Amino acid sequence: MSKNRVGLYPGTFDPITVGHYDIIRRASKLVDTLVIGVAMNPGKNPLFTVDERVEMVAKMTEEFPGTNFVVKPFNNLLMHFAQEVGAAIIIRGLRAVSDFEYEFQMVGMNRRLNAEIETVFLMASDQHQFIASSLVKEIALLNGDITKFVSAATAKKITERVKLIKNNQND
């Protein structure tokens, strides 16, 4: 009997971008089940609630028929969450050398917490290396076109949220 290989792709996904989508698509080829962990992380001042982000990620994964995805929020140590979901692999996307420096440090700490869980890095494809959720939010807040960086459904949600924020600032 073959073992179910569970991978965990964690992030805040605020919002989920086409770069995240690319990593999810590629990571799904490496594992039998891909858990997408949506971090609550209020310190990052999210545009969307964790429930909204979970919904957006779940909607995006519907485009991969036949792949076993689980989308779950988490608010604890990544290694504890990985153990909870039975992950043997943590998948991280890298856009630039600066990402690697941070991730390298995190891997070292995570290995001290649980040496049984491996971390796998997937390089962002060249057309997605520059996309960051924080930049997408900034572009949207300054009335720029974000449709090349997120799905149509996500762009609509961002536009609606930005409009709400701007209306509240004018009150």
Side-chain angles (χ1 to χ4, degrees), residues 17-19 95 127-133 135-136 148-150:
T17 69
V18 294
R95 294 173 303 201
Q127 67 236 24
H128 299 120
Q129 287 178 346
F130 60 92
I131 301 173
S133 294
L135 294 176
V136 171
K148 295 176 186 157
F149 312 122
V150 296

Side-chain angles (χ1 to χ4, degrees), residues 1-6 30-33 68:
M1 189 181 303
S2 68
K3 186 177 176 182
N4 182 33
R5 292 171 303 154
V6 177
L30 304 175
V31 295
D32 300 308
T33 300
N68 190 14

